[in-house]
Amino acid sequence: MVRRKTEAVTRPAATRPGGSRARTAPAGSMPDTAADTPVEAPAAAGTLPVRPGEESWTEAEVTELRQELVSEAAALGAEIAASEEAVSGLMRDSGDGAGDDQVDAGTKNISREHELSLAANARDMLAQTERALARLTGTGFGLCESCGEPIGKARVQAFPRATLCVQCKAKQERR
């Protein structure tokens, strides 16, 4: 898969968890996302695995799933850029503490840590989303990485980034 960089990227503001609006990133500061990358056609609908008793994937369902992953990747890219911009602003303001008491300094640290946490979470979700897109166009999409059995069409439609079937995920969480 070949990635291409763009000089200026403008994206519509995406809504972040918690209801705040993400800010538009400055030109050239956007990370490469699946939305910026030309992606091969998704796997043929009939080749995607399903559990016994489930209907096969249709072309429309596969296309809808891919579009959902691409739009999610774009929204996560905008969220990462907004978080990085916010952290940059908080870092700039951290030196302006003349006259601040310990509570003010603590509040700034909490705000900075919160934004760093949001950015890290968005990066993880973006990596999972891009991996799901790569698996959708390649091999392995819809198969459990632990047992090799089909994950299940309903689970994949509800959570397209799923890499484990329900049983293996439950085992993993019990550990």
Side-chain angles (χ1 to χ4, degrees):
M1 189 179 320
V2 178
R3 291 182 177 262
R4 61 182 167 86
K5 289 200 171 234
T6 56
E7 286 301 312
V9 178
T10 55
R11 300 209 188 278
T15 304
R16 293 159 99 186
S20 62
R21 300 285 294 173
R23 293 169 293 281
T24 304
S29 69
M30 245 357 216
D32 285 339
T33 64
D36 297 332
T37 307
V39 179
E40 303 164 14
T47 63
L48 292 177
V50 293
R51 297 183 82 105
E54 290 181 331
E55 292 182 17
S56 296
W57 288 89
T58 65
E59 291 295 330
E61 290 170 333
V62 174
T63 302
E64 181 183 340
L65 184 65
R66 182 182 177 284
Q67 288 172 345
E68 180 184 337
L69 287 168
V70 168
S71 66
E72 187 174 328
L76 287 167
E79 183 177 333
I80 290 168
S83 289
E84 287 174 350
E85 184 179 317
V87 168
S88 175
L90 289 168
M91 295 298 247
R92 241 187 337 268
D93 295 343
S94 68
D96 298 341
D100 284 353
D101 60 9
Q102 291 177 344
V103 174
D104 292 336
T107 301
K108 287 180 182 179
N109 284 337
I110 289 172
S111 296
R112 187 171 36 247
E113 289 298 318
H114 177 71
E115 285 297 328
L116 287 170
S117 176
L118 286 176
N121 184 43
R123 277 189 205 95
D124 288 344
M125 288 180 60
L126 179 60
Q128 290 174 7
T129 303
E130 288 177 337
R131 186 165 179 238
L133 274 168
R135 289 177 59 173
L136 182 61
T137 59
T139 59
F141 187 81
L143 290 176
C144 178
E145 290 183 343
S146 181
C147 67
E149 294 296 317
I151 293 174
K153 184 177 174 182
R155 176 167 166 74
V156 171
Q157 286 176 323
F159 185 64
R161 297 183 309 269
T163 58
L164 299 173
C165 65
V166 173
Q167 293 82 7
C168 291
K169 185 64 175 174
K171 286 178 193 174
Q172 181 189 52
E173 289 178 354
R174 282 192 295 258
R175 294 181 195 159

